[in-house]
Amino acid sequence: RKGFHAKRDDLVATGHGNLPPWAEGDPANVWKAAEKYERKNGAVYREAIIALPIELSMEQNHALVNDLVAKLAPGKPHQHAIHASKSSLEGNIIPHLHLMTSDRVDDGIERPAERFFARYNSAEPEKGGRKKHSGGRNRMEIRDELIATRKLVADTINHHLAINGQEARVDHRTLKARGIRRK
């Protein structure tokens, strides 16, 4: 926790991976370079906030987080944090994951920061930037990928609940899709 959030004491763990050499092991260097070199109106990063099951111990949730990060950020620079903040309504501990990922997928070519975020060159990849995972998709493809990602997260959480002997399960579908009506 930094800046405004430094007074909170709910940080449980942090991690990062797939950083380019020029980041020198510090994910903040990736995000700063993305802000500087990513094209105008381009996404600097994507963030997912995922509730972790209270039925699992913190050690079991760490294993779940490692599994989720491996599935959601393969080959992409990423940074994550696990928080266990208190619910404002009931005062219960609510563990959750914040996962920041770059859309730039590793292709084995080393580039300086200013070229890392440049437009991809399919004819000569070494002369362009890293290819973006998010590029070239229409709205329906983006929607379908979001639904598939939600299902992947739910399936991964349910797998960890099952292997740890818990009966609780999560469902990625909306309440409406499940036929549940609430006021």
Side-chain angles (χ1 to χ4, degrees), residues 80-102:
H80 71 270
I82 303 171
H83 297 126
S85 50
K86 283 190 177 183
S87 160
S88 58
L89 296 177
E90 298 172 10
N92 299 333
I93 298 294
I94 308 295
H96 58 280
L97 165 68
H98 291 258
L99 174 62
M100 293 171 57
T101 58
S102 169

Side-chain angles (χ1 to χ4, degrees), residues 158-180:
N158 289 335
H159 171 73
H160 280 263
L161 286 166
I163 65 173
N164 288 294
Q166 299 295 328
E167 292 187 25
R169 296 294 180 267
V170 298
D171 195 318
H172 72 285
R173 298 173 298 163
T174 64
L175 293 175
K176 183 178 178 182
R178 293 186 289 166
I180 298 172

